[in-house]
Amino acid sequence: MESFGTRLHRAITERGPLCVGIDPHPGLLAQWGLPDDVEGLDRFSRTVVEALGDRVAVVKPQSAFFERFGSRGVAILESTIRQLRDAGSLVLLDVKRGDIGSTVSAYAAAYLDPSSPVYVDAVTASPYLGVGSLAPMFELAAEHGGGVFVLALTSNPEGAAVQRAVTADGRTVAQTVIDEISQLNRGATPLGSFGLVVGATIGDTGHDLSGVGGPLLAPGLGAQGAGAADLRTVFGSSLASVLPSCSREVLSAGPDVAALRAAADRVLVDCRAVLPAR
Ligand SMILES: O=c1ccn([C@@H]2O[C@H](COP(=O)(O)O)[C@@H](O)[C@H]2O)c(=O)[nH]1
């Protein structure tokens, strides 16, 4: 099977460098005139799939907003994943998993084994039990053409205290994550399957992202205050690997399908103006 990196590279080439999140916040459900229940969740998700599933490179359901409705919410998540796959976008499940290795194996089986009902193209993962503890995810992803995006320098202001803490060898925690993911991607062309999450909000990172070799998911555009121009400051010479991501900025244009499409197109145009052509 083709690697996730190869599939992502093609999706970006064909559809442009943009990831849009499905984050059905209670406030957005209300804004869309939908009830804050599974019916509302289902209608919200179906509308986003209809609007964006056939035009955006990557769609990123935020698992938390489905999990909050229990098993019926997870059933909607499963259905949303299937609809997105049928529509042709890559599915990145934002679920930020991480644990001791034996448990990570079960998370890997849940999301990266094609026989699972919540199988997706890629997941987000947390490295704070050690990047090495995520090895079962990396291995299953490599086996089945999946991807893993590991948190490095997150978009929220609280992240810096942990991520910029300096380790015994003088590197920050984030730089150790960056270096380990860079190793995993070594030699992969056109793009590695193991990505990093680096917020668009964080300004000049002071970190070396030049050797990552995989995608750099950049959340924080729009509702969190970053604009496309901030990508230049954050990513500098690594802009060619950036996959900008936003949720509320686009979703707040709904529920009108044409308006959702127009909002995503606007963000994409802004990002293309900053990112090198791919
Ligand atoms: O550093 C991170 C990592 C993940 N996220 C997620 O992205 C979306 C952002 O939503 P917006 O509405 O565009 O603010 C959300 O699901 C976060 O959990 C992030 O924001 N920052």
Side-chain angles (χ1 to χ4, degrees), residues 162-206:
V162 175
Q163 295 151 13
R164 292 175 187 258
V166 177
T167 65
D169 68 12
R171 291 178 298 164
T172 64
V173 170
Q175 192 63 54
T176 65
V177 174
I178 293 166
D179 292 345
E180 290 200 52
I181 297 303
S182 305
Q183 281 298 318
L184 288 176
N185 284 325
R186 251 204 341 203
T189 54
L191 187 65
S193 297
F194 304 106
L196 293 170
V197 179
V198 177
T201 49
I202 64 173
D204 184 355
T205 69

Side-chain angles (χ1 to χ4, degrees), residues 23 25 60 62 65 94 96 151 153-156 197 199 219-221 223-224 245-249:
D23 292 50
H25 288 262
K60 180 174 76 66
Q62 170 52 260
F65 291 109
D94 198 344
K96 297 186 183 69
L151 303 178
L153 291 155
T154 58
S155 65
N156 58 319
V197 179
L221 293 176
Q224 293 180 52
S245 181
C246 67
S247 304
R248 285 167 288 179
E249 174 74 3

Side-chain angles (χ1 to χ4, degrees), residues 53-78:
D54 63 353
R55 58 202 288 133
V56 171
V58 181
V59 177
K60 180 174 76 66
Q62 170 52 260
S63 186
F65 291 109
F66 295 84
E67 290 175 41
R68 82 186 179 95
F69 293 106
S71 59
R72 294 182 68 204
V74 174
I76 306 270
L77 176 62
E78 288 176 17

Side-chain angles (χ1 to χ4, degrees), residues 75-258:
I76 306 270
L77 176 62
E78 288 176 17
S79 157
T80 302
I81 291 167
R82 278 195 302 273
Q83 292 164 41
L84 286 168
R85 188 168 299 121
D86 290 348
S89 61
L90 294 177
V91 186
L92 165 58
L93 184 62
D94 198 344
V95 68
K96 297 186 183 69
R97 294 296 194 241
D99 208 315
I100 60 169
S102 50
T103 303
V104 167
S105 295
Y107 284 132
Y111 303 116
L112 297 166
D113 184 324
S115 66
S116 163
V118 277
Y119 165 65
V120 285
D121 296 291
V123 288
T124 54
S126 169
Y128 300 119
L129 277 79
V131 177
S133 69
L134 299 174
M137 279 195 191
F138 301 142
E139 285 158 15
L140 211 61
E143 189 180 335
H144 294 296
V148 182
F149 287 81
V150 180
L151 303 178
L153 291 155
T154 58
S155 65
N156 58 319
E158 303 85 356
V162 175
Q163 295 151 13
R164 292 175 187 258
V166 177
T167 65
D169 68 12
R171 291 178 298 164
T172 64
V173 170
Q175 192 63 54
T176 65
V177 174
I178 293 166
D179 292 345
E180 290 200 52
I181 297 303
S182 305
Q183 281 298 318
L184 288 176
N185 284 325
R186 251 204 341 203
T189 54
L191 187 65
S193 297
F194 304 106
L196 293 170
V197 179
V198 177
T201 49
I202 64 173
D204 184 355
T205 69
H207 285 70
D208 181 11
L209 295 164
S210 61
V212 175
L216 303 171
L217 183 75
L221 293 176
Q224 293 180 52
D230 291 306
L231 297 173
R232 264 197 210 104
T233 316
V234 177
F235 293 99
S237 60
S238 302
L239 275 175
S241 306
V242 173
L243 177 61
S245 181
C246 67
S247 304
R248 285 167 288 179
E249 174 74 3
V250 171
L251 300 173
S252 58
D256 183 71
V257 165

